[in-house]
Amino acid sequence: MSDSPISHHPGGGLPRADSQGTPEETSASPEQKAQMEQAYAQMRRKMRMTQLDEEIKHKVMVLSGKGGVGKSTVSVGLALSLARQGKKVGIMDIDITGPNVPKMLGIEDAELHVEDGQIFPAIGPHGLKVISMAFLIEDPDKPVIWRGPIKLGAIQQFIGDVAWGELDALIIDFPPGTSDEPLTVSQSLPGIDGVVIVTTPQDVALLDSRKSINFAKTISLPCLGVVENMSGYTLHGKAEPNSQISVMGPTGTAIESTTDENGDWSVTLDVFKSGGGEAAAVELEVPFLGALPFDPGIVRGGDDGVHRIIAEPDGATAAAFDAVVNNVLVELEGSSGPTVRIS
Ligand SMILES: Nc1ncnc2c1ncn2[C@@H]1O[C@H](COP(=O)(O)OP(=O)(O)OP(=O)(O)O)[C@@H](O)[C@H]1O
Ligand SMILES: [Mg+2]
């Protein structure tokens, strides 16, 4: 059968990648070949993105107008709170210059498994799937200096190449501000549900939150709501049952309280004022998702790699995270879609 006209005829079937091809095909210049390869890679990535959209039920971006307000702490907290409800959750840390999500989860030494060009996430507490730029950085003490296009290309690749599997929710943590990163992610990953904005309680929160909300508007994503982090700090103590106690507040005025029949008392100090986040949400007409207390245990947990939700699952901070998560779920699932869509 070797002289069959079909097997000898170059036009007898679709040319395969490994076939000899016609003289025109074999003479494709290296430049043309590179272009074809690039187009193919792009097509594959697009298909992966569509698949990601189908596999991941909810995708939430966590943003803030300025740095250090607790975005990463809140992202990790939301992810853990959802995961301990039994949901399948992933967290993606997009902060290239200061990726600290793995450290907060105590898995900074984890190594990513790569198979068939796909990156498999590291696994954190409660089965949380974690992807972070930190896993790619060899020396954590060396600053990462990537020029814009390289950084954004790396993010796109990062999104397209991760094998998340089926997820109920993916939480995406960003560097501070309204920089290129959220823009790139919003353009690359289809079906993002919206943005959660983290702020602190001061009056300036309004200004910062307004910026973030306007940013969400620019990238055509709904604002799911505002979370006020580092809200009041609650002191607890014991004294004579049913007696009066007085605690000196941060502004120098005494705060009075009474003990219960067991002698327990608690007083909440507004270290950074309070209510700025809620006021911002009301004024900017977006949902207020709740307040998280100022908790020194969060700082310790960030350093030790044991998040407050893991260290004290029945504590006040864990409960506050659960309340915020419930409100986020209402925005995601409570109606036919998020209640606020800014266009
Ligand atoms: N509710 C809280 N109570 C006490 N400390 C907190 C709280 N939330 C965050 N922190 C502390 O504040 C610091 C900044 O938090 P975090 O890294 O989460 O902020 P960020 O907004 O992600 O910062 P960046 O903008 O650099 O990414 C950390 O030391 C963290 O432990
Ligand atoms: Mg951060």
Side-chain angles (χ1 to χ4, degrees), residues 64 66-75 93 95 98-100 104 173-177 198 228-232 272 292-303 317 321:
S64 72
K66 64 176 177 172
V69 296
K71 255 179 327 310
S72 302
T73 306
V74 172
S75 301
D93 176 9
D95 196 340
N100 45 18
M104 287 180 178
D173 180 32
F174 286 93
V198 181
E228 179 178 302
N229 188 33
M230 306 199 207
S231 214
F272 299 118
L292 299 167
F294 180 87
D295 176 0
I298 284 188
V299 185
R300 284 197 302 277
D303 290 342
T317 297
F321 270 109

Side-chain angles (χ1 to χ4, degrees), residues 57 191 202 267 290 329:
K57 201 165 156 204
Q202 302 91 322
V267 162
L329 286 174

Side-chain angles (χ1 to χ4, degrees), residues 37 40 45 82 143 155 167 177 184 209-210 226 237 256 301:
E37 263 164 36
Y40 181 60
R45 189 155 295 141
L82 282 164
I155 292 173
L167 288 184
T184 303
S209 304
R210 184 178 282 130
V226 173
E256 310 290 337

Side-chain angles (χ1 to χ4, degrees), residues 111-190:
E111 280 182 16
L112 294 179
H113 173 65
V114 180
E115 203 177 301
D116 290 337
Q118 287 217 290
I119 309 168
F120 288 80
I123 306 293
H126 293 299
L128 183 61
K129 293 185 176 175
V130 188
I131 277 288
S132 168
M133 290 288 177
F135 295 136
L136 308 180
I137 297 166
E138 296 212 333
D139 182 353
D141 295 330
K142 264 200 204 147
V144 179
I145 305 161
W146 283 353
R147 286 186 196 285
I150 295 181
K151 182 170 72 177
L152 301 181
I155 292 173
Q156 271 173 337
Q157 188 165 358
F158 215 35
I159 295 175
D161 293 347
V162 177
W164 290 104
E166 300 265 325
L167 288 184
D168 293 306
L170 176 67
I171 308 290
I172 313 166
D173 180 32
F174 286 93
T178 46
S179 46
D180 288 344
E181 286 89 341
L183 187 66
T184 303
V185 171
S186 71
Q187 287 169 345
S188 318
L189 191 61

